Every structure is written in structure tokens, then in C-alpha cells.
Amino acid sequence: MEIRRYIRQNLWLAILRSKIQLELQEAIFSRRTVRKFKKDPVPREVVDQIIDAARYAPSACNLQLWEFIAVDDPELIDQIAEETRFITLAPVAIFVTYSHKYTRENLAWVQSASAAVQNMMLMAHDLGLGGCWVDTLGNVGRIKRLLRLPEEQTVLALVLFGYYKLNLRAPRRRSIDSVLHFNHYKGTGHWPFEEDPNVWSMDQISHFQMAKIRNGAHYNKPIISEFEAVNAAIRRWSPTGECQWLDVLPCTGIYTEAFSRSFPDADITAVEMTEQVREFIRARVVRSVTEVEYSNFYSMNGVSYDFITCIFRLESLPRTEQLRLLRRLRDLIRPKGRLVVAFTNRNSYYSILKQFRKAIGHRGVEYALAPDPHLGPFKALTRREAKKLFRDTGWKVISRSHFFSTPPDDEVVYRSGRKGQFIKIAGKVVAGIGSASKHADPILGSLGRVQVWELEPS
């Protein structure tokens, strides 16, 4: 009898452990970052459950010096939204803070808060809620004052929770072999931090793009004035009716999508570096587009094109690759074909804005100041550099358009919208100056930030 009871008890424990393991695996592998929520309120007892999970996370020396501020006052939300607009996206916004006076060695206080956030995310997912971990907080000092936090508490994250409709697809993950090392690191190292593409290899650029494209939500909203200006220039020069069109390194596919809609008779080919990036483009383009991998691009035979576009992509390539690419395009263009290149002019307000961003800590490849489509390093060209580059690779400039000798209003909003109240006020001043000087734009070609040039083979 005792043996039977022992077997039954252990069998039940084994089943229970298996069920818990499956539920844990389901929670870990099915959790997704959610950015679109229903407006349905989240009951406070559900918030309690989320925080209950947070307080069972490990903390340095088990001091549990975290605090969680759930914000639901509409007036306070409006004030905080001046620093981080993300707070308006979800019905529940929780700021996670931690005392920085203790356990500072090896950023133990940051580790402790991070463990709590992960527990919150998993518990919310188990309760049927979506979550979004936000670190773009604007003026943190002002947020602390609005939340009436004591001096020793540091705001480390804003976590959003709410109910969601969509079942999100799992993003691609790095393989286990690429992240796991036994005893000694055996990888090849990560990417350079510098935004100058001349210190990057082409392999590094392609792998960086793959990593960044996983966060696809960031790459769907170009600056509208810029997007429309470039498209208008291309429409002036593009062939009508059927043609062979090559779109070079479209990256996020913003312009490829526009071309596929506006030119239904064009047979469009897109050449990109990796399958993951091409998959991203494929998901947004409205019709079939021929795809070519960049590594095969230089060995293609028997093809030529009437029209080639390269939009804000030369600046992301090392100088040697710029020359190689433009010479290859020269070989692929038909006798009366045209190449249209859009690039950012370094001799414009671009350089002033870049220096200002560096002054507030936005430097390196992660904060490269570049238009869409762009992922990776970026070095703007001067008009003189561009002319020499085209001349040295067998191209002749036949027409030029230029835009934005001063910042357009929507760019000011885009650049300052997440950087806090001070930056927002400065942005309004710049916008006012830009609006007053728009009439001078046509005669200030050398100062236009966006340059769109039409070229023919020389």
C-alpha cells in the first residue's frame, strides 16, 4: 500500500512539474512586445498581480530597493507625455525606479530593476495582457519631479500594459551557436560603434541591418515632407509604361513600396544584402518584385535596366564599395537609361543638427542622423564629393533637385518629439525660422539637405 501511495504521489508531482515547465516555456517563447493596445481599462487587482510578480524577482543583496509608480491620472499623463509620448499608448503605465545609493557595483541596481521588469512582462502575458518596455524618457529629471520621487530613486524604465487584439509574429532571433560560448569567447565581435561606414566591413553592415530590422515598428514612418519631395523628383524623371527598374539597397522598403504602387507597369527588381531584410521588404510591397541577393549582384549576366534608383544608400557604404557599386550600375544601365540618386548634403543644416545631437549624448551608429531608408553607419556627402564620385565611375549629372535649405515643420516635430520639453521648445523656434525662409529654398541648392540627382552614363 505504501509503495502504491508513493508511486501515485511522485507520478502526480512529475505531471505537475511537466505542466509548470510547459506553461513557463509557453510564456517565455510566446511573449511579444506590443505597441497597439485596446482602450479597455486594466483593473487595479490585475496591476497588483503584475507587481506581485515583480517583487519576487532577484535583487542585489535582496534589498528590494525598487518602487513602481502606476500612472492613471489624465492630467499627470498629459504632463509626462511632453517628455515621453509613449505613456499615452496604453491604459496602464508603470514607471520602474530603483535606489542608486546602494549596490552600485557592476550596475547591480540596474540589474535588479531589469529582473523585476522581466517578471512583470511575463506575468502580464500570462494574464492576457501585452507589454512594452520603454527606455525613451526625455527629461528624466522633470519626470522625477512630476512623480514626486525622492532624490535617491532613479527612473530606469517605463513599462506599458494593456489588452491587445493582434497575434504578433515572433521576430527572428540570433541562433544559439552565435550567442553561446563555453569557457572562452569564440565569436568574431560585434559591430563598430562609429557611424562612419569606412570603419565597417560589408559583413558587419549586413549583420547590423539584420539585427535592426527585427524591430520593424521603427521603420514604417518616414518624414512625410522628405518622402513626398523625393518621390516627386523621381516621378519627373521616371519612364512611363513598361520598363526594367532596379531599386538598389532599398533596406526598409519605404520607397520600393511607393514605386510598386505608383508604377504598376514597371518590372521592379530589388537588390539587398540579406534574406531577413528582403523578407521585411516583401511584407510591405503590394505586388511581386524580383529579389536579388547583393552577393550575387556582381555576377549577374544578361540583364540591363532602363531606370535605377538608389535612395539615401551611398552614404551607408564604405568609399571602396561606393565606387564598386556605381561602376556595376554603369555596366547594367541601358544606353538611354537613367540613374537617380538621393543623398544627404553634409553642407547643410544637417551638420549643425548632428553636432547638437552629439551634445545631448546622441552619438555613434545607434543614433546616426539619417533619413529612411537607413539602417547602419551613415556619412553624408557634400555636393562636390558626389560629383567626383559620379564622374570617377562613369556617370554624368544631367539634372538636379534640392530640398530643405531649412528644416521642414514635420522634421522638427520628428526630431524633437521624444527628447523632452526643452528640445521641443527649441524645435518650435527652429520651425518658425524655417517657415519664414521657405521662399528662399529654390535658390539655395548648395544648402539643401536633400539632394536628388538624375544621371546618365557618360
Side-chain angles (χ1 to χ4, degrees):
M1 183 64 71
E2 290 298 324
I3 293 175
R4 289 179 181 175
R5 184 181 298 113
Y6 176 81
I7 292 173
R8 282 199 302 270
Q9 288 175 344
N10 281 273
L11 180 60
W12 168 246
L13 286 173
I15 294 172
L16 181 61
R17 288 194 189 102
S18 177
K19 185 175 186 295
I20 292 172
Q21 182 182 24
L22 288 173
E23 289 176 348
L24 177 61
Q25 289 179 351
E26 173 67 18
I28 291 172
F29 294 128
S30 63
R31 186 206 62 80
R32 302 285 176 264
T33 294
V34 178
R35 294 179 178 85
K36 292 184 179 180
F37 301 89
K38 294 181 181 179
K39 295 187 182 298
D40 301 3
V42 176
R44 287 198 168 186
E45 55 267 26
V46 174
V47 176
D48 287 346
Q49 289 179 271
I50 292 172
I51 300 305
D52 193 29
R55 69 192 184 95
Y56 274 88
S59 64
C61 303
N62 198 29
L63 290 177
Q64 304 174 38
L65 297 176
W66 41 48
E67 305 290 343
F68 307 94
I69 298 89
V71 179
D72 59 8
D73 178 4
E75 184 177 343
L76 180 58
I77 288 173
D78 289 342
Q79 290 177 303
I80 295 174
E82 294 176 350
E83 302 302 330
T84 174
R85 61 179 176 81
F86 296 102
I87 195 172
T88 63
L89 297 181
V92 173
I94 301 176
F95 285 93
V96 180
T97 78
Y98 206 87
S99 173
H100 57 258
K101 291 287 181 75
Y102 299 89
T103 61
R104 293 185 62 85
E105 186 176 2
N106 294 321
L107 299 177
W109 53 297
V110 178
Q111 296 182 51
S112 302
S114 300
V117 172
Q118 182 67 1
N119 272 21
M120 293 166 65
M121 300 282 280
L122 289 172
M123 176 57 78
H125 178 58
D126 187 62
L127 295 171
L129 279 75
C132 182
W133 187 338
V134 178
D135 66 354
T136 304
L137 299 177
N139 186 335
V140 179
R142 182 167 181 250
I143 290 176
K144 285 185 65 172
R145 292 191 295 273
L146 290 171
L147 298 177
R148 299 177 185 173
L149 281 169
E151 187 278 330
E152 74 272 4
Q153 287 289 322
T154 294
V155 179
L156 291 171
L158 165 63
V159 194
L160 308 175
F161 296 108
Y163 298 103
Y164 58 98
K165 297 178 180 178
L166 302 177
N167 291 320
L168 300 176
R169 187 179 62 174
R172 289 179 179 263
R173 299 288 178 178
R174 294 175 61 191
S175 66
I176 294 175
D177 291 343
S178 72
V179 299
L180 176 62
H181 314 272
F182 284 103
N183 300 318
H184 301 286
Y185 177 73
K186 297 180 177 65
T188 57
H190 285 293
W191 320 287
F193 182 70
E194 295 83 354
E195 59 185 276
D196 183 352
N198 291 298
V199 301
W200 290 63
S201 70
M202 290 301 292
D203 280 345
Q204 288 172 328
I205 291 173
S206 66
H207 282 96
F208 186 83
Q209 285 184 357
M210 280 195 294
K212 294 294 287 183
I213 207 73
R214 297 181 195 123
N215 188 6
H218 286 321
Y219 311 118
N220 290 300
K221 298 177 181 178
I223 298 173
I224 297 301
S225 61
E226 174 184 277
F227 180 72
E228 291 179 346
V230 172
N231 272 305
I234 290 173
R235 281 195 296 270
R236 285 198 302 273
W237 299 324
S238 61
T240 58
E242 295 182 1
C243 70
Q244 295 295 317
W245 184 319
L246 177 65
D247 196 24
V248 180
L249 299 176
C251 199
T252 60
I254 286 172
Y255 285 92
T256 315
E257 180 184 16
F259 301 155
S260 68
R261 291 180 185 275
S262 301
F263 304 95
D265 295 325
D267 186 359
I268 298 176
T269 296
V271 54
E272 251 304 340
M273 296 184 189
T274 66
E275 167 58 23
Q276 287 188 28
V277 177
R278 291 194 299 277
E279 180 182 67
F280 188 85
I281 298 167
R282 194 182 307 138
R284 73 183 308 159
V285 174
V286 296
R287 61 183 175 88
S288 177
V289 169
T290 303
E291 299 175 7
V292 174
E293 186 171 338
Y294 193 72
S295 60
N296 299 327
F297 176 62
Y298 289 90
S299 59
M300 292 192 313
N301 295 314
V303 293
S304 59
Y305 298 93
D306 302 291
F307 198 63
I308 302 177
T309 46
C310 184
I311 312 299
F312 301 122
R313 298 299 287 133
L314 290 178
E315 303 97 310
S316 296
L317 301 175
R319 172 71 176 181
T320 52
E321 193 65 25
Q322 290 174 347
L323 294 167
R324 180 174 178 242
L325 174 60
L326 287 168
R327 288 177 180 136
R328 177 58 175 160
L329 297 181
R330 175 65 180 80
D331 294 337
L332 294 175
I333 199 73
R334 290 177 178 173
K336 294 184 179 180
R338 294 290 185 269
L339 165 65
V340 175
V341 176
F343 66 93
T344 300
N345 179 16
R346 193 162 72 244
N347 290 339
S348 66
Y349 69 81
Y350 165 88
S351 292
I352 300 172
L353 182 58
K354 183 178 176 182
Q355 291 303 318
F356 180 75
R357 284 163 59 88
K358 283 186 176 181
I360 63 173
H362 288 184
R363 62 184 67 207
V365 68
E366 180 68 13
Y367 294 103
L369 179 59
D372 283 328
H374 162 77
L375 294 171
F378 190 89
K379 184 178 181 181
L381 298 167
T382 67
R383 285 159 52 101
R384 177 176 294 182
E385 288 171 344
K387 282 190 283 189
K388 185 178 188 307
L389 183 63
F390 299 139
R391 184 176 63 248
D392 291 348
T393 52
W395 293 99
K396 176 184 176 183
V397 179
I398 59 174
S399 184
R400 291 185 289 196
S401 291
H402 51 82
F403 308 96
F404 315 123
S405 56
T406 56
D409 294 348
D410 59 342
E411 181 181 7
V412 173
V413 172
Y414 180 83
R415 301 294 183 198
S416 63
R418 307 178 191 177
K419 309 301 188 299
Q421 186 67 6
F422 173 76
I423 304 299
K424 199 174 292 185
I425 293 171
K428 289 180 179 179
V429 174
V430 172
I433 296 172
S435 296
S437 57
K438 277 182 180 177
H439 63 278
D441 215 43
I443 61 174
L444 295 176
S446 61
L447 298 178
R449 178 179 63 83
V450 173
Q451 303 284 320
V452 187
W453 292 7
E454 181 189 20
L455 303 100
E456 66 179 2
S458 61

